[in-house]
Amino acid sequence: MTEAYIYDAVRTPRGKGRADGALHEVTSARLSAGILNALKERNDLQGHAVEDVIWGNVTQVGEQGGCLARTAVLASDLDQSIPGLAINRFCASGMEAVNLAANQIRGGAGQAYIAGGVEMMGRVAMGSDGAAIAVDPSIAMDTYFVPQGISADIIATEYGFTRDDADALAVESQRRAKAAWDDGRFERSIVPVRDMNGLTILGHDEFMRPGTDMQSLGALKASFKDMGETMPGFDKVALMKYPHLERINHIHHAGNSSGIVDGSAGVLIGSKEWGEAMGLKPRAVIRATAKIGTDPTIMLTGPVPVTEKILADSGMSISDIDLFEVNEAFASVVLRFMQRFDVDADKVNVNGGSIAMGHPLGATGAIIIGTLLDELERTGKSTGLATLCIASGMGAATIIERV
């Protein structure tokens, strides 16, 4: 089997996903094209240098509709002979793009790929594409559908996490993200977003709130309490599925949940032979990939079973992993992961996560793989695991080993 190596990983800064966000004027295709251009320039990709561009984005409607991957290629400086594939595995779309590319190389279907994703949440509203699991009553009733925020609160209730637990994790995410920026840990991977005149639109993650503390978070109202307890009463739906719970403890709010942001990220993946021919040095090898389906009501527990699966598939144990990136969709997701595997918090999201810097849905999976790689190199560690929870009850994971 041909090994798949990571040769480069870049991302944009994440802008606030609203009308006054710094990236609001930039389309998904243009932001993606900027990432493709950066990978082209940094690695001198000429002609049909890669087999395909596999690009994740979640809300595939409007300007993010069609085959956005191909549109991004045509909007970039890449050769038009390179095709594009748009994919959607919800929050893991960017990771699934990387995993799919790696497995194509392993299987002999091409020597190199660019993989990643984008989401302009301030321009294309989350959920605006519709979803049968949410809007088709016959499916929603059969699956005991509840919104993700309710699912996050179910996890907290089921596994005993308090609001203070969640808020403490959020404060630490903010602290770590600021420390990482102050220390220049993202410099190798950040591609500033510039306008047509070359002026920088955004060069720094815009969503961060480094002054966050327990007191300021304590003043925030639980975001999902009303939708849970009043019409349409999603708590009642959840309690039909989990009758052993007396009630749902609503602990999540804007400060301990992932931020709505705009952003894009890309990873250059290739075989050893391709890298040698291109004169490029590999940075890491992709050791294993995995995906799994889980309970669609509690929905966000996927990082646990998919980690169990990827470790079993690769013959590894949790102690073989030096660093973890567990997407901070909601605080309870990370808390449950650390509880299940008894992982030291100092090994998880050491540079902050989506609570502090935001979660551009289609891009986040590629972002955390790049962040993991940078940190392995910075600290001289060997092996890392990245994982995300996914809407509708799924999980995805990737294990990389530094070269």
Side-chain angles (χ1 to χ4, degrees):
M1 184 178 65
T2 302
E3 294 280 16
Y5 293 87
I6 296 176
Y7 286 90
D8 202 4
V10 295
R11 73 170 178 92
T12 67
R14 286 166 272 195
K16 295 177 182 178
R18 59 193 194 200
D20 62 349
L23 298 181
H24 188 67
E25 66 189 78
V26 186
T27 66
S28 306
R30 290 296 176 189
L31 198 69
S32 300
I35 288 295
L36 299 182
N37 287 342
L39 289 170
K40 178 183 186 295
E41 293 163 9
R42 286 161 60 117
N43 300 281
D44 193 25
L45 304 179
Q46 302 299 324
H48 197 101
V50 298
E51 187 74 18
D52 203 354
V53 170
I54 305 178
W55 217 239
N57 66 290
V58 173
T59 310
Q60 297 188 354
V61 67
E63 67 184 47
Q64 287 187 171
C67 182
L68 180 59
R70 177 58 176 167
T71 305
V73 170
L74 296 175
S76 76
D77 297 330
L78 290 177
D79 194 277
Q80 67 177 6
S81 65
I82 299 171
L85 172 64
I87 67 167
N88 181 3
R89 200 189 290 278
F90 295 130
C91 297
S93 297
M95 174 176 286
E96 189 61 33
V98 172
N99 291 353
L100 179 58
N103 291 328
Q104 295 263 57
I105 292 168
R106 286 171 162 177
Q111 290 290 305
Y113 287 76
I114 293 175
V118 69
E119 207 77 33
M120 297 300 293
M121 300 180 74
R123 294 177 63 91
V124 183
M126 179 171 54
S128 59
D129 55 341
I133 194 169
V135 302
D136 183 335
S138 66
I139 299 174
M141 291 175 66
D142 287 345
T143 58
Y144 294 89
F145 170 82
V146 298
Q148 285 189 34
I150 302 291
S151 299
D153 287 337
I154 296 171
I155 293 173
T157 307
E158 177 72 18
Y159 295 102
F161 305 126
T162 67
R163 171 142 174 180
D164 279 353
D165 293 333
D167 286 356
L169 186 144
V171 170
E172 183 64 7
S173 180
Q174 295 284 352
R175 187 195 69 78
R176 291 181 180 188
K178 182 181 186 302
W181 270 104
D182 289 348
D183 197 35
R185 298 180 194 175
F186 300 133
E187 287 180 355
R188 180 171 186 176
S189 300
I190 288 290
V191 176
V193 182
R194 306 184 191 280
D195 65 15
M196 60 185 300
N197 297 312
L199 300 176
T200 298
I201 297 173
L202 185 65
H204 190 279
D205 286 323
E206 184 182 28
F207 186 77
M208 292 164 53
R209 295 155 292 181
T212 299
D213 57 24
M214 293 293 287
Q215 289 70 35
S216 61
L217 293 184
L220 298 177
K221 179 181 177 181
S223 297
F224 309 105
K225 182 178 175 66
D226 288 346
M227 73 168 64
E229 296 181 353
T230 60
M231 292 301 292
F234 287 110
D235 282 9
K236 292 182 179 179
V237 175
L239 292 173
M240 285 191 290
K241 184 74 171 285
Y242 312 111
H244 62 284
L245 301 177
E246 292 185 6
R247 58 185 294 274
I248 306 301
N249 183 22
H250 293 286
I251 70 165
H252 288 93
H253 51 73
N256 59 27
S257 307
S258 57
I260 293 174
V261 295
D262 304 324
S264 183
V267 182
L268 178 62
I269 307 161
S271 67
K272 183 178 181 181
E273 293 74 19
W274 177 84
E276 290 174 347
M278 295 290 293
L280 298 175
K281 181 180 178 181
R283 297 173 60 188
V285 62
I286 297 177
R287 281 294 177 213
T289 69
K291 59 270 188 182
I292 203 166
T294 65
D295 182 337
T297 306
I298 202 168
M299 194 185 307
L300 306 174
T301 55
V304 169
V306 81
T307 296
E308 294 170 341
K309 182 178 190 297
I310 200 171
L311 292 174
D313 290 350
S314 58
M316 301 176 72
S317 67
I318 203 74
S319 62
D320 293 322
I321 308 299
D322 298 311
L323 292 172
F324 300 86
E325 284 289 325
V326 183
N327 186 40
E328 294 175 353
F330 298 89
S332 64
V333 174
V334 183
L335 290 168
R336 172 55 186 153
F337 182 90
M338 292 191 295
Q339 180 191 64
R340 165 61 184 86
F341 296 107
D342 193 23
V343 174
D344 190 332
D346 290 339
K347 295 182 177 182
V348 181
N349 302 342
V350 298
N351 292 313
S354 292
I355 290 175
M357 293 174 283
H359 176 20
L361 306 178
T364 303
I367 289 175
I368 65 174
I369 289 173
T371 299
L372 183 61
L373 174 56
D374 285 344
E375 187 63 14
L376 288 172
E377 291 177 335
R378 187 184 75 85
T379 58
K381 292 183 169 62
S382 174
T383 306
L385 182 149
T387 184
L388 304 93
C389 60
I390 310 173
S392 300
M394 293 184 281
T398 308
I399 293 175
I400 65 173
E401 182 180 333
R402 186 172 61 89
V403 175

